[in-house]
Amino acid sequence: MEKILQVKDLQVSFTTYGGEVKAVRGVSFDLHKGETLAIVGESGCGKSVTSQSIMRLIPDPPGKIAGGEILFKGKDLLRLKEPELRKIRGANISMIFQDPMTALNPTLTIGEQIMEGILQHEKLSRTKAKKAAVEMLKLVGIPSPEQRLKQYPHQFSGGMRQRIVIAMALICKPDVLIADEPTTALDVTIQAQILELFREIQKKTGVSIILITHDLGVVAQVANRIAVMYAGKIVELGTRREIFYQPKHPYTQGLLQSVPRLDIEKAELVPIPGSPPDLFSPPAGCAFTARCPYAMEVCDRVYPFSTSLSNQHHVDCWLQDERAQKLASTFV
Ligand code: SF4
């Protein structure tokens, strides 16, 4: 499978009055052409910081990308100068956020806003840009697009506004679309329609999608692969089937037990006890130790190696690594 984007050992920290918060601690993953990779985890796990780092949107200061590589078409995005980066943002990699209202300017028609990206990145006449905007509104399912181009954001419902934001993100036909909690602000029916729209758009355009969400229901509907993040690290990565039916990391298992499942009758919902560790001074070993029912001495002392369970399924947990016992025997 062609790799469209590679994130290698990404490290991001934030300087605060309380000290340095290590928000992302060595995250690595590949994004394949035409797939949807979901990054899931509780709030504060580093999933949004990871996605914003790909677009180099981390405010510096207080944020700092302290290490790693983000390779897109052979170029390391972390080493590019701002003008080069601006060309890539929007044209090759675009992003949509949770609240469509904050992404739209209330004083401009949606036509002006959708055309802005294409006029900025491609040398097109306004007539051609308008035609492209109409096509894009059709693609995202806005009826009477020619008339609606002249309207303002407040004249659309929340679901329609999110469709407009998606049209803005796709107008330049990007290779990668990063969607950060794109359906969280929407009610369940509209959420299902927007997720269906993602699937249709991907089929028609072949765009690769990184979906950031805390909602496993959303993930179950659209993701091809899932990366589970905890305390700034990816602790398990696998196909949707592997993560939903053969989860190996106790945190992934806990996440799945804490959401309602339609495929398991009368399943009891079990919240994960405790809270994530303080990332001012992250633990040397597994950060899930204090909440994990299977924790061993080795877990607290040494971070687990990544164990590959299949070509696509990888987990950081000592329970899956036979070296745990040998290592434990060296402790005095
Ligand atoms: Fe639990 Fe240890 Fe695995 Fe961490 S490494 S999830 S503490 S068993």
Side-chain angles (χ1 to χ4, degrees), residues 249-251 286 288-289 292 294-296 299 304 316-319:
H249 197 285
Y251 176 63
C286 170
F288 194 55
T289 306
C292 179
Y294 312 106
M296 304 167 278
C299 306
D316 293 6
C317 175
W318 282 121
L319 288 177

Side-chain angles (χ1 to χ4, degrees), residues 97-170:
F97 297 94
Q98 179 175 334
D99 183 359
M101 232 15 210
T102 54
L104 293 170
N105 183 337
T107 65
L108 292 177
T109 64
I110 61 139
E112 288 297 329
Q113 297 185 63
I114 297 174
M115 288 192 308
E116 192 185 328
I118 203 161
L119 287 171
Q120 197 181 337
H121 290 287
E122 294 173 29
K123 288 189 182 101
L124 278 189
S125 64
R126 280 188 70 81
T127 313
K128 283 192 175 156
K130 192 174 166 192
K131 205 168 158 227
V134 168
E135 284 308 311
M136 205 40 69
L137 282 187
K138 274 189 202 157
L139 180 74
V140 299
I142 303 264
S144 317
E146 284 89 356
Q147 286 75 47
R148 303 224 75 178
L149 275 182
K150 298 172 205 141
Q151 296 185 321
Y152 291 86
H154 73 269
Q155 294 172 284
F156 294 84
S157 67
M160 285 291 181
R161 285 199 285 260
Q162 193 59 302
R163 285 174 189 264
I164 293 163
V165 171
I166 295 171
M168 280 166 68
L170 293 174

Side-chain angles (χ1 to χ4, degrees), residues 253-271:
Q253 293 166 354
L255 273 185
L256 288 167
Q257 278 172 6
S258 63
V259 293
R261 298 271 300 258
L262 291 176
D263 57 337
I264 302 174
E265 248 185 84
K266 293 187 188 147
E268 196 189 336
L269 299 187
V270 187

Side-chain angles (χ1 to χ4, degrees), residues 7 34-35 37 77 82 96 120 132 161 166 212 238 303 332:
V7 175
E35 77 162 340
L37 172 72
L77 300 183
E82 190 54 38
I96 55 176
Q120 197 181 337
R161 285 199 285 260
I166 295 171
I212 309 292
Y303 188 77
V332 282

Side-chain angles (χ1 to χ4, degrees), residues 14-287:
F14 290 87
T15 305
T16 71
Y17 288 120
E20 194 187 18
V21 179
K22 296 183 178 70
V24 174
R25 305 185 296 136
V27 159
S28 302
F29 63 85
D30 298 330
L31 178 69
H32 303 137
K33 193 166 168 40
E35 77 162 340
T36 296
L37 172 72
I39 304 182
V40 299
E42 292 164 294
S43 67
C45 69
K47 55 190 190 304
S48 290
V49 175
T50 299
S51 65
Q52 285 165 17
S53 302
I54 296 170
M55 295 287 275
R56 291 260 305 271
L57 293 176
I58 299 292
D60 178 3
K64 186 169 183 250
I65 299 180
E69 291 180 340
I70 297 175
L71 302 176
F72 174 73
K73 294 192 171 171
K75 286 181 183 165
D76 183 358
L77 300 183
L78 300 183
R79 311 270 174 274
L80 292 187
K81 299 252 183 297
E82 190 54 38
E84 222 178 328
L85 202 59
R86 260 202 302 270
K87 282 187 208 154
I88 289 179
R89 274 193 210 122
N92 299 107
I93 305 178
S94 57
M95 190 158 186
I96 55 176
F97 297 94
Q98 179 175 334
D99 183 359
M101 232 15 210
T102 54
L104 293 170
N105 183 337
T107 65
L108 292 177
T109 64
I110 61 139
E112 288 297 329
Q113 297 185 63
I114 297 174
M115 288 192 308
E116 192 185 328
I118 203 161
L119 287 171
Q120 197 181 337
H121 290 287
E122 294 173 29
K123 288 189 182 101
L124 278 189
S125 64
R126 280 188 70 81
T127 313
K128 283 192 175 156
K130 192 174 166 192
K131 205 168 158 227
V134 168
E135 284 308 311
M136 205 40 69
L137 282 187
K138 274 189 202 157
L139 180 74
V140 299
I142 303 264
S144 317
E146 284 89 356
Q147 286 75 47
R148 303 224 75 178
L149 275 182
K150 298 172 205 141
Q151 296 185 321
Y152 291 86
H154 73 269
Q155 294 172 284
F156 294 84
S157 67
M160 285 291 181
R161 285 199 285 260
Q162 193 59 302
R163 285 174 189 264
I164 293 163
V165 171
I166 295 171
M168 280 166 68
L170 293 174
I171 186 89
C172 294
K173 302 190 173 64
D175 302 283
V176 177
L177 175 67
I178 302 173
D180 192 350
E181 303 276 7
T183 58
T184 304
L186 306 172
D187 71 45
V188 180
T189 320
I190 307 295
Q191 179 173 316
Q193 291 170 8
I194 296 290
L195 292 176
E196 182 53 38
L197 177 62
F198 275 120
R199 269 196 297 260
E200 278 170 29
I201 284 170
Q202 193 164 51
K203 224 189 276 172
K204 284 182 189 158
T205 66
V207 66
S208 306
I209 300 176
I210 297 178
L211 177 69
I212 309 292
T213 181
H214 67 282
D215 186 340
L216 283 171
V218 167
V219 169
Q221 291 180 61
V222 291
N224 301 108
R225 288 189 305 140
I226 300 166
V228 180
M229 274 193 85
Y230 186 75
K233 285 179 179 287
I234 291 179
V235 295
E236 187 162 7
L237 177 65
T239 62
R240 177 175 53 182
R241 179 158 277 280
E242 286 164 338
I243 296 295
F244 275 94
Y245 294 105
Q246 297 140 18
K248 294 294 182 218
H249 197 285
Y251 176 63
T252 313
Q253 293 166 354
L255 273 185
L256 288 167
Q257 278 172 6
S258 63
V259 293
R261 298 271 300 258
L262 291 176
D263 57 337
I264 302 174
E265 248 185 84
K266 293 187 188 147
E268 196 189 336
L269 299 187
V270 187
I272 305 172
S275 48
D278 168 1
L279 290 179
F280 286 110
S281 49
C286 170

